[in-house]
Amino acid sequence: MEREMMLEVRDLDIRFELRGKVLHAVREVSMELYRGEVLAVVGESGSGKSVFTKSFMGLLDKNGYVSGGSICYYGGEEERIMELTAIRKEKDWRRIRGREIAMIMQDPMTSLNPLKTIGSQIMEAVLLHQNVGRMEAIKRTIQYLKDVGIQEPEKRFEQYPHEFSGGMRQRVVIAIAIACNPKILICDEPTTALDVTIQAQILNLLKELRQKYQLSVILITHDLGVVANIADRVAVMYAGDIVEIGTSEEIFYDPRHPYTWALLSSLPQAGQKGSELFSIPGTPKSLYAEIEGDAFAPRNPRALNIDFIRRPPYFDVSPTHKAKTWLLDPRAPKVSLPPIVEKIRKGGLF
Ligand SMILES: Nc1ncnc2c1ncn2[C@@H]1O[C@H](COP(=O)(O)OP(=O)(O)OP(=O)(O)O)[C@@H](O)[C@H]1O
Ligand SMILES: [Mg+2]
């Protein structure tokens, strides 16, 4: 089946200027997003997940800028292709934000107005983005409340954010985002503030909504464990780069990058009874100095000499799976896999 491209990022570079120094936060990253898919972006804190996706909405902090590459958006009106890196004016970004690409943040309280009923906040989005009158807007708002799994929507319509639990507030935020009719929904750690059962419910809700509304979802998380059941594809970020990308199945059962191996090994599910949870030794490289070679090499017990000298290109594993590691070069020596990855390959765990 031919997949319809929604977003195409090519060699995107993002830098920040801070006290006279330059931090290279996103380093020549390329990625595609297709209609109706859930793409998970995973990686440690500071790997660039938020910065990367904020650049799709013109939401970089003032000291940050796109220093190279392109972001093509294919979903615009009349199927016009838009180059998002060329947008300069706030007014033009407002045409994209919410109505083309919407974002849900970790803390729902920051995106809700405590002084307005939740019904009026969803309705505002409907009136702004959909060409309907008041009565129809109320009807649609109630439908959105139902869609995000809120019981007694007519009653809840009149209530204020403080009358909702954390999980319910996040559902309201999702309803507001959906009411803007976006084609892409970026969820930046939408469940980290919630407990595990609620987390799973919100993720399942996202899965349902993408089906109903034909949304493309980018799901950002530092926890590879939570995406196994929801993501169609997974992009693994390290030090401002996507070092491996593939279908969920490929990333979980046939991972190729040593950093992906380390992430999998550190999953709680991977912990053996009675043994310590594995944590990745060392810290990521500073992004202030240009990185030579594979950024993960100093933390990789299986690193080759060339890893410290030359940055690896992508090597294709399958038409849908590629990784930036010299281990995939035909000349590379065979290395043994970490025990947990070996175990996952043989089945089980997910
Ligand atoms: N305004 C800024 N000025 C300078 N550096 C910044 C700024 N915003 C982000 N950075 C840096 O860019 C890099 C990527 O940050 P980003 O917030 O995207 O990480 P992340 O992967 O989202 O992490 P987390 O999981 O903690 O949210 C980090 O090194 C961060 O310190
Ligand atoms: Mg972040």
Side-chain angles (χ1 to χ4, degrees), residues 148-150 166-176 201-202 205:
V148 298
I150 290 179
M168 285 294 150
R169 273 183 218 139
Q170 195 59 297
R171 288 172 190 264
V172 173
V173 172
I174 293 170
I176 295 175
Q201 290 170 7
I202 298 280
L205 170 65

Side-chain angles (χ1 to χ4, degrees), residues 281-297:
T283 48
K285 281 204 155 200
S286 160
L287 297 171
Y288 281 109
E290 279 308 314
I291 295 174
E292 273 170 39
D294 182 333
F296 189 59

Side-chain angles (χ1 to χ4, degrees), residues 5-297:
M5 183 108 74
M6 293 303 292
L7 198 70
E8 185 180 19
V9 182
R10 284 284 157 257
D11 302 321
L12 187 68
D13 247 38
I14 299 173
R15 289 167 216 254
F16 289 97
E17 267 171 39
L18 204 64
R19 290 186 283 275
K21 292 208 285 189
V22 175
L23 180 143
H24 201 169
V26 171
R27 306 185 299 126
E28 293 177 285
V29 175
S30 299
M31 183 199 83
E32 297 89 37
L33 180 71
Y34 299 97
R35 184 188 288 279
E37 75 166 340
V38 177
L39 173 70
V41 177
V42 298
E44 279 167 300
S45 184
S47 55
K49 307 179 297 292
S50 297
V51 166
F52 178 53
T53 47
K54 277 179 177 173
S55 69
F56 308 162
M57 300 179 72
L59 289 175
L60 291 177
D61 293 338
K62 287 259 173 317
N63 62 329
Y65 55 96
V66 171
S67 49
S70 83
I71 308 169
C72 277
Y73 175 64
Y74 289 89
E77 277 154 40
E78 295 149 27
E79 304 296 296
R80 202 158 54 91
I81 301 171
M82 300 176 76
E83 175 52 60
L84 301 184
T85 60
I87 298 180
R88 295 283 172 270
K89 297 187 191 121
E90 273 300 296
K91 159 173 129 324
D92 294 328
W93 275 120
R94 280 199 289 272
R95 285 204 198 124
I96 301 290
R97 283 183 207 143
R99 78 162 73 174
E100 304 289 347
I101 307 177
M103 193 170 216
I104 290 165
M105 311 276 194
Q106 182 178 340
D107 179 10
M109 247 353 214
T110 55
S111 15
L112 291 173
N113 184 338
L115 303 177
K116 289 186 178 168
T117 64
I118 60 112
S120 66
Q121 296 187 55
I122 300 170
M123 208 171 121
E124 235 168 64
V126 175
L127 288 170
L128 193 65
H129 292 284
Q130 305 182 29
N131 195 13
V132 295
R134 257 190 99 71
M135 286 316 287
E136 179 61 23
I138 292 173
K139 233 171 82 190
R140 289 193 188 184
T141 297
I142 288 176
Q143 184 58 46
Y144 287 126
L145 283 168
K146 276 191 196 148
D147 284 346
V148 298
I150 290 179
Q151 312 276 318
E152 300 186 87
E154 286 88 0
K155 182 176 142 214
R156 295 299 238 168
F157 189 105
E158 300 293 343
Q159 294 183 331
Y160 292 86
H162 72 265
E163 295 174 81
F164 285 68
S165 67
M168 285 294 150
R169 273 183 218 139
Q170 195 59 297
R171 288 172 190 264
V172 173
V173 172
I174 293 170
I176 295 175
I178 305 285
C180 301
N181 255 341
K183 305 207 176 59
I184 298 175
L185 184 63
I186 301 171
C187 305
D188 195 348
E189 308 262 10
T191 61
T192 35
L194 306 171
D195 72 52
V196 180
T197 14
I198 311 280
Q199 238 180 46
Q201 290 170 7
I202 298 280
L203 293 175
N204 277 327
L205 170 65
L206 288 173
K207 209 165 152 180
E208 279 170 39
L209 292 174
R210 71 93 188 250
Q211 217 108 44
K212 175 156 187 186
Y213 291 101
Q214 278 291 296
L215 282 167
S216 307
V217 177
I218 300 178
L219 178 63
I220 299 174
T221 174
H222 58 264
D223 184 355
L224 194 52
V226 310
V227 303
N229 294 317
I230 170 174
D232 300 301
R233 289 194 304 141
V234 178
V236 179
M237 271 194 103
Y238 187 77
D241 193 6
I242 294 178
V243 295
E244 180 160 13
I245 187 164
T247 64
S248 260
E249 202 149 304
E250 288 166 334
I251 298 300
F252 283 97
Y253 292 102
D254 189 23
R256 298 303 180 106
H257 197 284
Y259 178 61
T260 314
W261 296 344
L263 276 182
L264 284 166
S265 302
S266 59
L267 285 178
Q269 293 97 309
Q272 311 285 13
K273 260 207 183 105
S275 67
E276 291 274 304
L277 198 59
F278 172 84
S279 69
I280 306 170
T283 48
K285 281 204 155 200
S286 160
L287 297 171
Y288 281 109
E290 279 308 314
I291 295 174
E292 273 170 39
D294 182 333
F296 189 59

